[in-house]
Amino acid sequence: MPGLVLATMFITLPFVARELIPLMQAQGSEEEQAARVLGANGWQMFFRVTLPNIRWVLLYGVLLCNARAMGEFGAVSVVSGHIRGLTTTMPLEVEMRYNEYDFAGAFAVASLLALLALVTLAVKTLLEWRYGNEIAAHAPGGH
Amino acid sequence: MTLELSRLRRRYSDFAALDDVSLTIAAGEFLALLGPSGSGKTTLLRILAGQDYPASGGVRRGGEDFLAMHARERGVGLVFQHYALFRHLSVTENIAFGPRVRPRRSRPARAEIAARVERLLQRVQLDGLGSRYPAQLSGGQRQRVALARALAVEPDLLLLDEPFGALDAQVRVSLRRWLRKLLKELDDEQH
């Protein structure tokens, strides 16, 4: 299980970083400096200034990350022990059921996965629609 | 209390921003640093505000080593050149930021902070605009918010970095007059 999480993070965290780095570069550190001069310590500076400024882009990044993690097959397949209910992810479950000739089960899990993907897409569209200018202005052209 | 700057030096790689700067600032004094861009004005202010440190030289205030103090203990208010207002906070929240981040034992009560913000809003002639966000204000208004935010921590030393640099000529003249009057009033109150 920790292995799966680790493998998935390795694959997906760059998505969040790719979203955040250009945004933070564009924003600069002036507001953080202002917080410092006004007497904020490091934590206050981060939670009251830095995090609120990047929250929507961070959420967007996490969402893209989630989308990628849901469908991730290669990395998790390598590290997973294929123990049902313990170290499987949905794509792995589909494969296992398919290999066991449980076609109905495989298609059910696959449909569920597709549904989750649609929900993610809906949330992504909602975020883009609501906070589009904030996200688009700093996103590194296309994904 | 007088602030004594002695022999400050600060280099940025191959460029000497401050070269042997000595200066004494008396209590109640109104001092302006003039010079072309790149002459080290901002560097000097950043050092006084605790954002930067000199390579050599020292600053003393009433016998204390000013540079050894943490930024928050120095009692310095700094108005940034581009104001650096918190864009996700309203005008009121921007001004209240300083008092709100104090450690619990020295933090004023909520009502006291609100009253202080209200007073400052009146003082900088922005009453009624407290719920606006920085993006909804004009340049001159933003500058006054930045000033109120710096004053909210009741600083002993108020630093203004190019306070009129980002404003058009007309606003500049009226604001300069107004600022001089305001600082005079503040100074009279303290003595």
Side-chain angles (χ1 to χ4, degrees):
Chain A
M1 188 60 185
L4 286 183
V5 173
L6 221 63
T8 308
M9 285 202 339
F10 185 74
I11 298 291
T12 56
L13 274 190
F15 281 78
V16 181
R18 260 183 69 110
E19 287 292 322
L20 283 183
I21 291 168
L23 171 73
M24 296 183 81
Q25 274 172 348
Q27 286 183 343
S29 60
E30 268 217 320
E31 289 183 42
E32 278 80 2
Q33 288 174 24
R36 201 37 121 192
V37 175
L38 288 168
N41 63 33
W43 291 109
Q44 288 171 324
M45 187 174 82
F46 180 71
F47 284 107
R48 285 168 185 254
V49 179
T50 310
L51 201 57
N53 271 337
I54 60 171
R55 63 195 154 179
W56 297 116
V57 174
L58 184 65
L59 191 63
Y60 188 73
V62 168
L63 197 78
L64 290 186
C65 205
N66 177 47
R68 185 76 171 82
M70 267 190 333
E72 179 55 35
F73 187 86
V76 287
S77 177
V78 170
V79 297
S80 161
H82 294 274
I83 305 165
R84 186 156 280 152
L86 205 63
T87 62
T88 50
T89 66
M90 285 182 83
L92 295 185
E93 185 72 26
V94 173
E95 189 213 14
M96 280 160 68
R97 284 183 186 271
Y98 189 78
N99 287 342
E100 289 160 8
Y101 304 104
D102 179 7
F103 295 130
F107 277 109
V109 177
S111 307
L112 200 61
L113 195 59
L115 202 72
L116 275 176
L118 284 178
V119 170
T120 309
L121 190 66
V123 178
K124 172 177 172 287
T125 313
L126 187 79
L127 268 181
E128 277 175 354
W129 173 68
R130 179 77 180 74
Y131 302 101
N133 40 6
E134 218 168 310
I135 294 166
H138 307 293
H143 309 291
Chain B
M1 263 185 288
T2 33
L3 199 61
E4 285 170 59
L5 288 64
S6 55
R7 317 206 59 170
L8 290 175
R9 278 171 197 278
R10 178 73 171 93
R11 301 183 65 83
Y12 294 110
S13 54
D14 58 340
F15 168 72
L18 296 179
D19 189 13
D20 215 9
V21 175
S22 298
L23 190 64
T24 305
I25 307 170
E29 192 172 357
F30 194 93
L31 185 83
L33 295 169
L34 300 177
S37 76
S39 60
K41 306 183 295 288
T42 301
T43 304
L44 189 61
L45 296 190
R46 284 171 55 84
I47 286 174
L48 290 180
Q51 298 290 296
D52 198 354
Y53 289 89
S56 67
V59 180
R60 304 189 76 77
R61 181 173 67 182
E64 282 178 294
D65 184 359
F66 196 64
L67 294 177
M69 293 157 107
H70 190 272
R72 87 180 74 183
E73 294 158 4
R74 294 186 185 188
V76 167
L78 173 61
V79 176
F80 286 75
Q81 181 168 5
H82 301 289
Y83 318 138
L85 296 175
F86 305 123
R87 72 195 90 184
H88 63 289
L89 297 179
S90 69
V91 168
T92 306
E93 290 165 329
N94 258 286
I95 298 175
F97 188 93
R100 277 187 190 159
V101 295
R102 293 264 179 89
R104 200 174 293 269
R105 56 203 144 66
S106 63
R107 191 190 307 158
R110 208 174 279 254
E112 153 69 19
I113 293 179
R116 191 187 292 181
V117 170
E118 205 47 50
R119 272 202 308 277
L120 282 165
L121 276 175
Q122 270 174 19
R123 171 142 269 167
V124 299
Q125 298 166 0
L126 288 173
D127 15 359
L129 296 182
S131 56
R132 296 255 194 115
Y133 283 84
Q136 300 167 315
L137 298 174
S138 72
Q141 289 170 330
R142 273 180 220 177
Q143 206 230 13
R144 281 177 282 156
V145 175
L147 183 64
R149 183 178 70 175
L151 289 174
V153 292
E154 298 178 333
D156 300 322
L157 177 66
L158 183 65
L159 306 170
L160 306 163
D161 189 5
E162 301 268 357
F164 310 108
L167 302 170
D168 60 69
Q170 206 167 12
V171 183
R172 206 179 292 183
V173 172
S174 63
L175 208 60
R176 195 160 50 198
R177 224 168 263 146
W178 171 83
L179 184 66
R180 194 200 295 264
K181 205 173 107 237
L182 177 75
L183 293 178
K184 188 107 180 56
E185 279 171 23
L186 287 171
D187 195 45
D188 290 343
E189 270 169 41
Q190 279 184 354
H191 299 290

